[in-house]
Amino acid sequence: MSSRFLLSLIVVMALAACGGGGDSSQDQATPAVSNKPIVIAHRGASGYLPEHTLGSYELAIRMKADYIEPDLQFTSDKQLVAMHDESLDRTTNVATVFPGLRNGHSKYLVSDFTLSEIKQLTVLPTGTASNSHPGFTPSMVVLGAATMQAGVAKFVAFTDTGMTTIDLADLSKFAAGVGVIIDYPAFALTREFVSQARAAGLKVHGWTFDKVDAIAANDQYHRYLSMGVDGLFTNYVDLAVLARDSYLAAP
């Protein structure tokens, strides 16, 4: 595992369970509440890895935490970053990368730096945490598009300056999977792309499924599931779960 952890936009959010009362139909539709106490990962697995990093979140998930507690701060350009403190002093090397305080403040406030500047920082372990954990290597899913060139599957990564085409074999050296845009005519996700990506050791997740009509959504999910995709980025989780389960249950 690399010793360098970059501050990142939060990708794992804790979902608060809520119960209701009064309407009997709602009560009947609400799942029974478990008496089993939940485990909440404080800033991820922050006792082992630097807090609020993708590695810390993933390790907490692998350790079977029920929820992950995120904290958010705004940058100077109004972007959200996963960060507990209002300042960067305690958990990053900000003083080394950007010597000199800003705007008359006594600390390096998150709100004094742009997202681009914060991405240049290294997150430092605190307390009992370190930059690695025995037996753990973080995975990575890269977002982009699928393309075929002379029968060979390639991945198209979207960057701030344009698009970059990457061989799947090269991508598999640092990523565990790819998030591929769906229903985009210029970059069609096909069964052959999924097959070649899997052969290269990559999982394929389609993004973003956003149809709100249940029938149309079900057809869309089933179409991509039949290609062999491994995951579904969706705005409508309930429809995705129904479609996935009905697809798997089909003879």
Side-chain angles (χ1 to χ4, degrees), residues 26-225:
Q26 290 182 346
D27 291 343
Q28 292 173 0
T30 302
V33 176
S34 170
N35 290 324
K36 180 180 178 181
I38 62 173
V39 175
I40 304 165
H42 183 230
R43 310 175 196 173
S46 57
Y48 298 105
L49 294 175
E51 63 185 61
H52 287 318
T53 58
L54 297 182
S56 181
Y57 294 155
E58 184 177 349
L59 180 59
I61 293 170
R62 293 196 192 183
M63 289 178 166
K64 302 187 183 304
D66 296 302
Y67 296 93
I68 293 174
E69 177 239 7
D71 298 288
L72 299 175
Q73 299 289 342
F74 273 112
T75 64
S76 63
D77 51 347
K78 305 305 180 186
Q79 302 298 307
L80 285 172
V81 292
M83 187 86 180
H84 174 268
D85 299 358
E86 292 184 349
S87 74
L88 299 159
D89 303 55
R90 181 177 63 88
T91 57
T92 78
N93 63 337
V94 62
T96 300
V97 178
F98 297 106
L101 297 168
R102 298 183 178 182
N103 299 324
H105 294 135
S106 60
K107 292 184 176 182
Y108 291 90
L109 298 186
V110 177
S111 58
D112 286 338
F113 293 82
T114 66
L115 178 61
S116 177
E117 289 174 325
I118 288 178
K119 284 184 175 181
Q120 298 176 48
L121 305 180
T122 298
V123 182
L124 306 175
T126 59
T128 59
S130 64
N131 283 324
S132 63
H133 185 71
F136 172 73
T137 300
S139 59
M140 179 186 295
V141 175
V142 183
L143 295 180
T147 189
M148 300 293 295
Q149 296 181 358
V152 178
K154 303 278 188 178
F155 182 76
V156 180
F158 302 140
T159 69
D160 293 339
T161 57
M163 297 180 292
T164 301
T165 302
I166 308 172
D167 291 339
L168 297 182
D170 292 334
L171 194 62
S172 67
K173 294 176 182 178
F174 62 87
V178 290
V180 180
I181 193 170
I182 64 169
D183 290 352
Y184 195 73
F187 299 104
L189 175 56
T190 63
R191 185 188 301 272
E192 182 58 27
F193 178 90
V194 174
S195 177
Q196 291 190 31
R198 283 185 160 185
L202 295 166
K203 293 186 179 297
V204 179
H205 306 106
W207 66 283
T208 299
F209 292 85
D210 61 357
K211 292 187 181 298
V212 66
D213 178 78
I215 295 176
N218 186 74
D219 291 343
Q220 183 186 51
Y221 289 121
H222 279 222
R223 177 158 52 91
Y224 284 99
L225 287 168

